[in-house]
């Protein structure tokens, strides 16, 4: 299995490198681990849902 960096994941998922690092530190991406200061992310890892976005509610 291959691994990618936070920078590579950021480009792949169209989010910031810092956001990828936060997701890794929160344990939200399975199979990640640190190599020194860098995160190793499995190449087949899926982008986690963004729980920061407000969900729309029907107010009928």
């Amino acid at each position: 299995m291959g691994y990618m960096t936070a920078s590579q994941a950021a480009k792949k998922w169209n989010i910031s490198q810092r956001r990828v690092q936060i997701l890794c530190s929160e344990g939200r991406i399975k199979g990640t681990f640190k190599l020194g200061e860098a995160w190793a992310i499995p190449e087949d890892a899926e982008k986690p849902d963004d729980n920061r976005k407000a969900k729309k509610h029907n107010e009928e």
Side-chain angles (χ1 to χ4, degrees), residues 2-24 28-33 38-48:
Y3 291 90
M4 59 184 163
T5 63
S7 177
Q8 292 168 326
K11 289 177 186 173
K12 179 179 178 181
W13 296 336
N14 198 29
I15 58 177
S16 71
Q17 179 177 343
R18 180 66 183 138
R19 185 69 189 140
V20 173
Q21 292 168 339
I22 290 168
L23 293 169
C24 290
R28 299 205 28 223
I29 304 172
K30 293 183 181 183
T32 61
F33 60 93
W39 285 99
I41 304 164
E43 288 179 339
D44 61 351
E46 294 184 21
K47 177 183 174 184

